[in-house]
Amino acid sequence: MIQLQSVSLRRGTQLLLENANLTLQPGYRLGLVGRNGTGKSSLLALLEGKLTPDAGNVDRAGGQRLATVAQEMDDLDVSAVESVLAGDVEYDRISKAIATAELAEDGMALATLYHDLEAIDGFTARSRAARLLDGLGFAPDAIDRPVRSFSGGWRMRINLARALLAPSDILLLDEPTNHLDLDAVFWLEQWLINYPGSLVVVSHDRDFLDQVCTHIAHLENKSLTVYTSNYSGFEQMRAERQAQNAALSAKIERERAHLTAFVDRFRAQATKAKQAQSRIKALARLPVLAATHADSTFTFSFRPAPNSPDPLLTMEHLELGYNGKALLKNIDLTVRAGDRIGLLGANGAGKTTLMRVLGGAEKPMAGELFISAGVRVGYYAQHQLEQLDPRDTPMTALERIAGRASTQEVRNFLGGFGFIGDRAFENIEPFSGGEKARLALALLVWQAPNLLLLDEPTNHLDLEMREALAAALQTFEGALVVVSHDRSLIEMVCDNFWRVHDGKVGVFDGDLDDYRRVLTDERRAANAPAKPAETTKPKSESTWRPATKKPAGKPDKRTDKRVAEIEHRLSAVVLALQALDTQLADPDLYAGPDATRANELTSQRQTLAEEHEALELEWLSLND
């Protein structure tokens, strides 16, 4: 157990926390959330013992083992699996002592050391380390490669595996999903759910926090507030508290109105029942998000883009790769006007290669890529931040592409991305990763593309900026192809999925819950004993297939009639809901002597909202 009592914490002259209290009980899985700069990483360092409080006390129970992820790793010649094993300090000590005793042919010492090794389950350590690396995406033949041969992102995975292998009572993780693909995130979630100790994690991935956390600690205005809930529960409770503030009501309603266009577009275009269910759940959160983020400093939207041709681009027998080696073959897919496609697949499967070819950064090895006239591509690459000139300011970077726009127009636009006042005139070089990512997005949004290609756009962005990006993408009228490990963003903005897997790209029929089940089935099948050929067909085969056209079914007049009836009623319900929301947003309603009127309107709205959801579900089912 770790307990903070009336703790105040400074970094330099800045006061981050004041009179903060926190008790980390055994078994708690605590998520630390808050805007960038509020002190989340500093609080993590305080819990680890690397920082001391400026006031108050930090009490730690004796004998607790604490594990953290190192942020750097030297260019080591040892293998990845050996580096992970070294994370278990006691195993590493015993292993080195055994090597010394074997050289000295000291039988008595060896007997004692092997007994100690068995006591810590050391004989299974290598297989446990290999399983951790496998879950984090390492190929079987990669775990024996030297650490120095891996890029920085893969070294961070090795560091994460070291922390997970080390025996611990408390595990501290700072943005553990940053260098992971969606497949590895799913695996890590399950591992952490089964972790028996206490967990403290800093993350901007709301779905990860939802799956893993039992408590949320929110840092805001130098205070620390703990909620007994996952992230969605925290957001709901915070939204309810904020909604009581009449000063926020008008802005909340503007946010709701901003999202109405997305809801209408979704209702008109959704055609897959499974994905529709997932999207309805996401839509149900929109009023909550509007309330929770009504005081956000980030408010931007995509500029009007030129009309899109249809299709925008077509791939015929496309073959992609590098250094003369094909990575993906026989791609026959089309991106049409209004498509909103999420790319699924493990790191290394070829998602970024596909995005680079679509964005014009690379040429295909074979086949044809047809891009229609009038397509304006906006490509956000994983390494977009490296394209910024560190000598620029946000103003000079945007003015370079802004044409005849006035200085005030440019400043107003940058303000929507958080570059307010003098910040718009400061050099980019010392900016944080999050600030540079925001600027790169601002430059992309200004260009008004009608086809967006986004490769991990949420890297370096905090939760508020992620929500602002999702809200902007919901009303973006062009086509979208996105790669992201942020499930909340994918669920909110994508209608269809392609899976990049085993050298192919194909349509994935299902939502992200289906994708998680597919990965689980495939991992189970890969680890199962070999079976006769006729029984080895995986359960998930039917959920992923190359793109084909579906035969059109016969029109059903009764179905068409019912669909028309539902659409007519839905229009009436939406208008009624908007009228009720307008009345409920009026502060005078709550200030008058008759408080029962507000309760009646709230009850009416709840009834209409339930009818709206039921009608929407029936509409989606009939259209599917």
Side-chain angles (χ1 to χ4, degrees):
M1 184 180 75
I2 300 179
Q3 189 172 34
L4 274 59
Q5 296 178 323
S6 304
V7 165
S8 294
L9 182 65
R10 292 180 179 273
R11 295 305 300 267
T13 59
Q14 183 182 6
L15 180 63
L16 298 177
L17 280 178
E18 187 173 22
N19 199 32
N21 297 284
L22 171 68
T23 300
L24 183 65
Q25 298 283 7
Y28 272 27
R29 296 198 297 271
L30 180 72
L32 296 183
V33 301
R35 291 181 180 177
N36 283 345
T38 53
K40 300 185 296 295
S41 294
S42 297
L43 178 56
L44 210 62
L46 181 69
L47 295 173
E48 187 180 350
K50 288 185 175 180
L51 294 179
T52 56
D54 293 278
N57 299 309
V58 179
D59 298 324
R60 296 180 176 84
Q64 288 185 321
R65 299 168 299 176
L66 191 144
T68 62
V69 179
Q71 295 303 305
E72 295 181 0
M73 179 178 286
D74 296 331
D75 288 333
L76 301 176
D77 288 323
V78 301
S79 68
V81 69
E82 292 296 331
S83 178
V84 173
L85 286 169
D88 186 338
V89 176
E90 185 64 9
Y91 172 85
D92 191 51
R93 181 192 68 78
I94 295 174
S95 296
K96 290 176 179 177
I98 287 175
T100 301
E102 285 177 341
L103 287 174
E105 298 182 350
D106 187 344
M108 291 296 293
L110 283 171
T112 301
L113 289 168
Y114 280 125
H115 179 271
D116 293 343
L117 190 65
E118 184 177 11
I120 64 167
D121 198 19
F123 290 106
T124 67
R126 183 180 174 86
S127 64
R128 286 186 282 117
R131 286 199 299 272
L132 287 171
L133 290 171
D134 175 69
L136 292 172
F138 286 81
D141 59 350
I143 66 173
D144 292 314
R145 282 172 44 195
V147 171
R148 57 179 168 76
S149 69
F150 292 99
S151 65
W154 287 99
R155 292 189 193 186
M156 289 305 299
R157 294 192 188 206
I158 294 172
N159 283 347
L160 177 57
R162 283 170 64 104
L164 300 184
L165 183 72
S168 63
D169 302 298
I170 300 174
L171 183 59
L172 306 179
L173 300 178
D174 194 351
E175 293 289 358
T177 64
N178 262 6
H179 299 281
L180 303 183
D181 53 48
L182 197 56
D183 301 30
V185 171
F186 285 149
W187 176 88
L188 178 61
E189 282 177 356
Q190 195 57 51
W191 195 96
L192 292 175
I193 288 170
N194 295 325
Y195 174 65
S198 300
L199 169 70
V200 182
V201 57
V202 174
S203 179
H204 294 302
D205 186 333
R206 58 171 298 124
D207 286 274
F208 178 78
L209 294 170
D210 264 350
Q211 293 291 327
V212 169
C213 294
T214 60
H215 295 72
I216 297 293
H218 182 222
L219 286 78
E220 183 181 38
N221 298 327
K222 304 178 184 64
S223 66
L224 180 68
T225 307
V226 179
Y227 297 79
T228 304
S229 173
N230 61 8
Y231 186 82
S232 290
F234 145 74
E235 204 165 40
Q236 178 72 44
M237 287 184 276
R238 182 170 176 245
E240 290 171 355
R241 189 179 73 241
Q242 286 186 314
Q244 294 172 1
N245 185 345
L248 286 176
S249 293
K251 187 168 184 180
I252 291 171
E253 290 311 311
R254 287 197 300 272
E255 289 295 319
R256 284 178 175 155
H258 173 71
L259 297 173
T260 299
F262 168 65
V263 176
D264 292 341
R265 183 194 61 78
F266 167 70
R267 183 181 298 115
Q269 294 188 8
T271 58
K272 292 191 176 182
K274 286 186 177 180
Q275 289 170 216
Q277 304 307 316
S278 176
R279 298 299 292 282
I280 285 175
K281 293 177 186 176
L283 289 173
R285 294 203 310 261
L286 294 185
V288 176
L289 297 181
T292 307
H293 299 280
D295 58 347
S296 172
T297 58
F298 308 122
T299 53
F300 68 93
S301 60
F302 282 85
R303 307 172 79 216
N307 292 332
S308 299
D310 190 19
L312 285 87
L313 59 84
T314 302
M315 293 165 269
E316 292 185 359
H317 309 302
L318 214 59
E319 186 172 303
L320 314 178
Y322 50 88
N323 297 330
K325 181 181 178 182
L327 185 60
L328 299 171
K329 296 182 179 180
N330 298 322
I331 305 174
D332 293 286
L333 291 167
T334 300
V335 178
R336 309 200 60 164
D339 275 356
R340 307 173 74 83
I341 299 163
L343 288 188
L344 305 176
N347 277 0
K351 300 189 301 295
T352 293
T353 301
L354 176 59
M355 294 289 274
R356 286 179 60 81
V357 170
L358 297 182
E362 290 184 10
K363 298 292 185 183
M365 295 177 62
E368 297 290 342
L369 173 62
F370 300 100
I371 301 179
S372 301
V375 173
R376 183 185 293 178
V377 177
Y379 175 39
Y380 185 96
Q382 280 197 36
H383 305 292
Q384 192 77 16
L385 277 60
E386 299 170 7
Q387 307 303 316
L388 297 173
D389 188 337
R391 297 167 296 181
D392 274 347
T393 68
M395 281 292 295
T396 56
L398 187 55
E399 285 176 334
R400 190 174 292 117
I401 63 172
R404 298 181 179 179
S406 68
T407 298
Q408 189 60 49
E409 185 180 358
V410 172
R411 291 196 66 176
N412 291 344
F413 182 79
L414 288 171
F417 290 83
F419 299 104
I420 300 169
D422 292 340
R423 198 61 171 165
F425 297 93
E426 296 177 8
N427 284 341
I428 295 170
E429 185 171 13
F431 280 11
S432 68
E435 289 172 314
K436 290 177 180 177
R438 281 192 271 122
L439 179 58
L441 278 171
L443 298 176
L444 179 69
V445 171
W446 180 273
Q447 297 173 56
N450 54 19
L451 172 59
L452 268 179
L453 306 174
L454 304 178
D455 194 356
E456 295 293 357
T458 61
N459 282 355
H460 307 290
L461 299 182
D462 61 19
L463 270 164
E464 289 203 48
M465 186 59 192
R466 291 185 186 205
E467 300 292 0
L469 175 61
L473 288 173
Q474 285 155 15
T475 55
F476 173 63
E477 295 180 353
L480 169 71
V481 181
V482 60
V483 176
S484 180
H485 64 264
D486 188 322
R487 277 160 295 167
S488 178
L489 179 78
I490 294 174
E491 287 180 335
M492 296 285 271
V493 306
C494 294
D495 294 329
N496 302 285
F497 295 103
W498 295 349
R499 187 183 183 192
V500 183
H501 176 65
D502 198 22
K504 299 186 288 291
V505 185
V507 174
F508 183 83
D509 289 328
D511 59 14
L512 293 184
D513 289 335
D514 294 314
Y515 183 56
R516 181 198 287 270
R517 285 191 287 270
V518 167
L519 295 177
T520 301
D521 290 347
E522 290 177 348
R523 188 177 296 277
R524 186 180 296 119
N527 294 329
K531 295 181 180 180
E534 64 271 19
T535 63
T536 56
K537 180 180 177 181
K539 296 177 181 178
S540 58
E541 185 177 350
S542 63
T543 62
W544 178 71
R545 55 174 176 74
T548 57
K549 293 183 179 179
K550 293 184 178 180
K554 285 187 176 181
D556 185 328
K557 292 183 178 179
R558 287 178 299 177
T559 299
D560 289 344
K561 181 180 178 182
R562 179 55 184 158
V563 167
E565 291 173 352
I566 293 173
E567 290 174 346
H568 180 74
R569 178 56 184 162
L570 273 172
S571 298
V573 170
V574 168
L575 290 174
L577 285 170
Q578 290 173 348
L580 285 170
D581 286 341
T582 300
Q583 295 179 67
L584 289 168
D586 184 2
D588 293 338
L589 177 67
Y590 307 94
D594 185 11
T596 60
R597 177 60 178 160
N599 293 333
E600 291 174 0
L601 293 176
T602 301
S603 178
Q604 291 176 27
R605 193 193 187 288
Q606 178 64 28
T607 301
L608 282 171
E610 290 172 357
E611 181 185 1
H612 184 276
E613 182 175 354
L615 288 169
E616 209 165 43
L617 283 169
E618 185 181 356
W619 184 93
L620 290 163
S621 177
L622 290 172
N623 274 276
D624 184 65

